[in-house]
């Protein structure tokens, strides 16, 4: 007598065959994010308390230790002025973080406001605002930032302005698409039906439900901004103060690659590690705010 297959038995079989990830496996999968968080935390610590981590001041020169290789006395070696490269990298983290975070905040606020107004208003207002964004998007971000920085002149503030303006289009388009999605939901129609003001709908209903993608893009944008600002500093369009940024350190060390590779290598590694770490954290935030991606994994 053949046994019958019922929906309950099939469901039970499926439940039994589900793969359960052990806590150890989950911990191993989180190792890159944990390492990235440690790198970002250490960089923030360097930017806030550089004197506690650096082995000397960035302006201290030792004429007896010119182009000295990495060792116990100088972990990252010295440059052509006798300055400690490790101390320069530690103190240079402040400028990179300031530019990265400030440019993302400015770009996200301006771009988010444009996308919010365009998505909610619609009509001619949306067309005019988005055509302006399309004009900005015709130029690559790095080229736009380079043009603005060249016109304004070399300084940290001008780099922030240049990088933030170049990032406005991406934030505006993401916010607009999210607003259009939220605006079509039932609770927005209900709020409009009872006579709720536009300002209340925008700032109490639409904006809070549209910030998650902007937060993820902004986190990744910090890494992109650091990379762009380092490129501008490398070209001589960054800060010209006594304490050089990571991009300027790269520029100073390119003439000594054959005799003192460490001058450019360690600042380059710092930029690479920080940008990679920020991107990993951004990917983790995306998985948190988008359950569909988490279930697929």
């Amino acid at each position: 007598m053949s046994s019958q297959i019922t929906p309950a038995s099939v469901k039970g079989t499926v439940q039994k065959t589900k793969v359960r990830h052990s806590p150890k496996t989950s911990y191993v999968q989180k190792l890159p994010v944990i390492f990235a968080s440690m790198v970002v935390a250490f960089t923030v610590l360097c930017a806030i308390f550089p004197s506690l981590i650096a082995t000397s001041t960035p302006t201290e020169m030792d004429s007896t230790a010119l182009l000295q290789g990495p060792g116990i006395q100088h972990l990252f070696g010295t440059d052509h002025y006798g300055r400690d490269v490790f101390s320069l990298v530690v103190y240079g983290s402040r400028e990179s973080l300031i530019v990265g975070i400030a440019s993302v905040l400015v770009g996200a606020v301006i771009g988010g406001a444009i996308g919010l107004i365009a998505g909610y208003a619609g009509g001619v207002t949306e067309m005019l605002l988005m055509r302006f964004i399309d004009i900005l998007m015709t130029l690559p971000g790095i080229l736009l930032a380079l043009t603005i920085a060249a016109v304004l002149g070399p300084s940290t503030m001008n780099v922030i302005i240049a990088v933030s303006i170049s990032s406005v289009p991406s934030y505006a388009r993401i916010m607009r698409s999210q607003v259009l999605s939220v605006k079509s939901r039932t609770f927005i129609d209900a709020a409009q039906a009872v006579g709720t003001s536009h300002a209340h709908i925008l700032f109490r209903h639409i904006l809070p439900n549209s910030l998650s993608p902007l937060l993820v893009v902004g986190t990744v944008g910090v890494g992109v901004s650091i990379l762009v600002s380092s490129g501008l500093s490398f070209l001589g369009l960054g800060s010209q103060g006594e304490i050089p940024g990571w991009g300027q350190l790269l520029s100073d060390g390119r003439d000594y690659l054959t005799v003192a590779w460490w001058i450019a290598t360690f600042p380059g590694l710092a930029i690479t590690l920080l940008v990679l770490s920020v991107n990993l954290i951004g990917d983790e935030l995306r998985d948190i705010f988008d359950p569909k991606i988490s279930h697929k994994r």
Side-chain angles (χ1 to χ4, degrees), residues 113-191:
I114 292 175
L116 183 67
I117 296 172
Y120 184 76
V124 178
T125 302
E126 179 184 15
M127 183 190 68
L128 292 176
L129 289 175
M130 297 315 296
R131 293 301 77 77
F132 170 71
I133 295 299
D134 290 340
I135 292 173
L136 291 180
M137 290 192 69
T138 56
L139 289 174
I142 182 65
L143 182 59
L144 181 60
L146 180 62
T147 304
I148 296 173
V151 171
L152 297 179
S155 72
T156 302
M157 181 59 66
N158 292 341
V159 169
I160 294 175
I161 294 173
V163 177
S164 59
I165 291 177
S166 66
S167 65
V168 164
S170 59
Y171 295 115
R173 293 183 71 87
I174 291 171
M175 177 59 81
R176 172 182 170 272
S177 63
Q178 192 68 13
V179 169
L180 291 175
S181 175
V182 174
K183 191 174 72 169
S184 62
R185 297 180 184 175
T186 307
F187 68 91
I188 300 297
D189 295 334

Side-chain angles (χ1 to χ4, degrees), residues 8-292:
S9 63
V10 174
K11 182 178 180 181
T13 305
V14 172
Q15 289 178 345
K16 290 180 181 179
T17 57
K18 284 184 177 179
V19 179
R20 294 183 179 179
H21 297 285
S22 64
K24 185 177 180 181
T25 304
S26 301
Y27 176 77
V28 172
Q29 292 176 346
K30 297 294 183 182
L31 278 179
V33 179
I34 295 173
F35 175 75
S37 302
M38 293 174 61
V39 170
V40 172
F42 180 72
T43 306
V44 172
L45 189 63
C46 290
I48 299 176
F49 306 108
S51 59
L52 298 180
I53 300 173
T55 55
S56 63
T57 60
T59 56
E60 182 181 345
M61 301 180 186
D62 186 359
S63 58
T64 62
L66 301 178
L67 300 177
Q68 190 175 88
I72 297 176
Q73 186 176 1
H74 301 285
L75 294 177
F76 290 176
T78 61
D79 64 0
H80 49 291
Y81 293 118
R83 298 177 298 182
D84 184 67
V85 176
F86 176 74
S87 301
L88 291 173
V89 172
V90 170
Y91 276 89
S93 62
R94 177 177 296 176
E95 180 186 342
S96 297
L97 279 182
I98 289 176
V99 173
I101 295 174
S103 59
V104 165
L105 289 176
V106 174
V109 169
I110 298 176
I114 292 175
L116 183 67
I117 296 172
Y120 184 76
V124 178
T125 302
E126 179 184 15
M127 183 190 68
L128 292 176
L129 289 175
M130 297 315 296
R131 293 301 77 77
F132 170 71
I133 295 299
D134 290 340
I135 292 173
L136 291 180
M137 290 192 69
T138 56
L139 289 174
I142 182 65
L143 182 59
L144 181 60
L146 180 62
T147 304
I148 296 173
V151 171
L152 297 179
S155 72
T156 302
M157 181 59 66
N158 292 341
V159 169
I160 294 175
I161 294 173
V163 177
S164 59
I165 291 177
S166 66
S167 65
V168 164
S170 59
Y171 295 115
R173 293 183 71 87
I174 291 171
M175 177 59 81
R176 172 182 170 272
S177 63
Q178 192 68 13
V179 169
L180 291 175
S181 175
V182 174
K183 191 174 72 169
S184 62
R185 297 180 184 175
T186 307
F187 68 91
I188 300 297
D189 295 334
Q192 292 174 340
V194 298
T196 307
S197 65
H198 294 299
H200 185 86
I201 293 174
L202 270 175
F203 296 106
R204 293 296 300 273
H205 297 294
I206 293 181
L207 183 59
N209 288 284
S210 304
L211 287 178
S212 296
L214 211 64
L215 177 62
V216 175
V217 175
T219 304
V220 178
V222 172
V224 176
S225 299
I226 291 173
L227 202 58
V228 173
S229 63
S230 298
L232 294 178
S233 297
F234 180 83
L235 297 174
L237 297 174
S239 174
Q240 302 297 320
E242 293 184 353
I243 302 176
W246 288 347
Q248 189 176 345
L249 288 175
L250 279 173
S251 180
D252 293 341
R254 62 181 172 177
D255 295 330
Y256 298 90
L257 287 175
T258 57
V259 293
W261 54 267
W262 51 87
I263 300 177
T265 299
F266 289 111
L269 287 176
I271 295 172
T272 303
L273 275 177
L274 183 58
V275 172
L276 181 61
S277 300
V278 171
N279 287 342
L280 286 173
I281 294 175
D283 289 341
E284 183 67 17
L285 289 176
R286 182 193 60 186
D287 295 346
I288 293 173
F289 288 117
D290 193 346
K292 295 179 181 178

